[in-house]
Amino acid sequence: MKILLIDTCGATGSIALADGPAILDTASLPGRTASERLVLTIKDLATRTHTPLASLETIAVVHGPGSFTGVRVGLSAAKGLAEALNLPLLAISRLAVLAHLAGPPAVTPIRALLDAGRNELYSGLYLDGVCQREALLTRDELLAAHRLDPSTQVVACEPAVAESIAILNPQLLAEPTAADALPLALRRIQHQDFDDPATLDANYLRRTDAEIFAKPTTSAKPIAGMPTR
């Protein structure tokens, strides 16, 4: 099964072509050049691997969270190719890919973290490879959540994030690429768990305006074990 994988969520985008569980070749899109080079790089990669686009059977795209522009570019290209080639499409969370890089699914929960800017973090909690929750958290909210289950393994791929939460002893991993999404894509394909391109949206994980501008109530109680501000 020939699979095209796209990830343009980070500072460096990447593309991979796979035949079943084997990666045929990869390409990178440095310096946030995805909007200009993505489609051409896909064609070049197909030529290098002697894989005509017409022979593809599935397209998998990492649809965030990450750079707003990067996420939109990758998702739009994946949707366009899926429609043009009449192929099934599946979207994979970047947090899920990062959590998978921590190792085989286990009974210990894994929390994957990415920098969201504005002193906030994208957080994804996974248990045995299954997503429990993804959310946008402040550092204080993250620490409070961790105190509820201190056995959770914390992983990050950005040194600044790892340094900011050093108290949680995070595992620093390499930044995920499109090729790293292949095992998750194969699992979804096996279960015929595809997405509807018409309703598929980017995984931005941003707070609503109501949450951003909400004023704290005086009756709110502090989380047990956390100091009051």
Side-chain angles (χ1 to χ4, degrees):
M1 170 173 281
K2 302 291 177 61
I3 307 167
L4 172 66
L5 302 111
I6 301 171
D7 181 356
T8 57
C9 300
T12 300
S14 59
I15 306 164
L17 271 173
D19 188 355
I23 294 292
L24 298 177
D25 201 355
T26 63
S28 62
L29 300 163
R32 300 190 186 278
T33 60
S35 59
E36 297 84 13
R37 299 177 54 186
L38 178 57
V39 174
L40 179 59
T41 304
I42 290 173
K43 292 179 179 178
D44 289 344
L45 193 61
T47 299
R48 289 207 312 260
T49 58
H50 306 288
T51 307
L53 293 180
S55 70
L56 293 175
E57 297 173 74
T58 303
I59 296 177
V61 59
V62 179
H63 69 142
S67 159
F68 276 29
T69 300
V71 169
R72 287 196 300 269
V73 167
L75 185 57
S76 297
K79 283 186 172 185
L81 285 170
E83 180 178 1
L85 299 173
N86 193 28
L87 295 175
L89 175 67
L90 56 89
I92 300 171
S93 168
R94 193 167 185 237
L95 289 165
V97 180
L98 181 57
H100 179 79
L101 291 177
V107 295
T108 301
I110 296 176
R111 185 182 296 277
L113 299 172
L114 293 165
D115 184 12
R118 303 177 184 176
N119 296 314
E120 294 179 312
L121 299 164
Y122 297 123
S123 167
L125 184 64
Y126 298 84
L127 181 61
D128 196 23
V130 178
C131 179
Q132 306 300 301
R133 182 173 184 249
E134 290 190 350
L136 184 67
L137 302 177
T138 64
R139 183 177 182 276
D140 286 346
E141 289 170 338
L142 171 64
L143 295 179
H146 191 76
R147 290 186 180 185
L148 296 176
D149 190 354
S151 66
T152 302
Q153 178 185 354
V154 179
V155 299
C157 63
E158 297 151 312
V161 170
E163 182 179 350
S164 71
I165 54 164
I167 191 174
L168 303 183
N169 297 315
Q171 179 183 1
L172 185 60
L173 304 173
E175 188 168 344
T177 66
D180 294 322
L182 179 58
L184 284 70
L186 290 173
R187 187 186 308 163
R188 294 270 303 276
I189 293 170
Q190 182 180 9
H191 293 91
Q192 294 294 292
D193 181 19
F194 298 107
D195 292 291
D196 182 354
T199 59
L200 178 61
D201 199 1
N203 185 25
Y204 287 134
L205 286 188
R206 279 295 178 191
R207 298 180 192 272
T208 64
D209 287 345
E211 291 175 312
I212 293 173
F213 297 109
K215 296 181 179 179
T217 60
T218 56
S219 60
K221 296 181 179 180
I223 297 174
M226 288 293 291
T228 57
R229 298 182 183 180

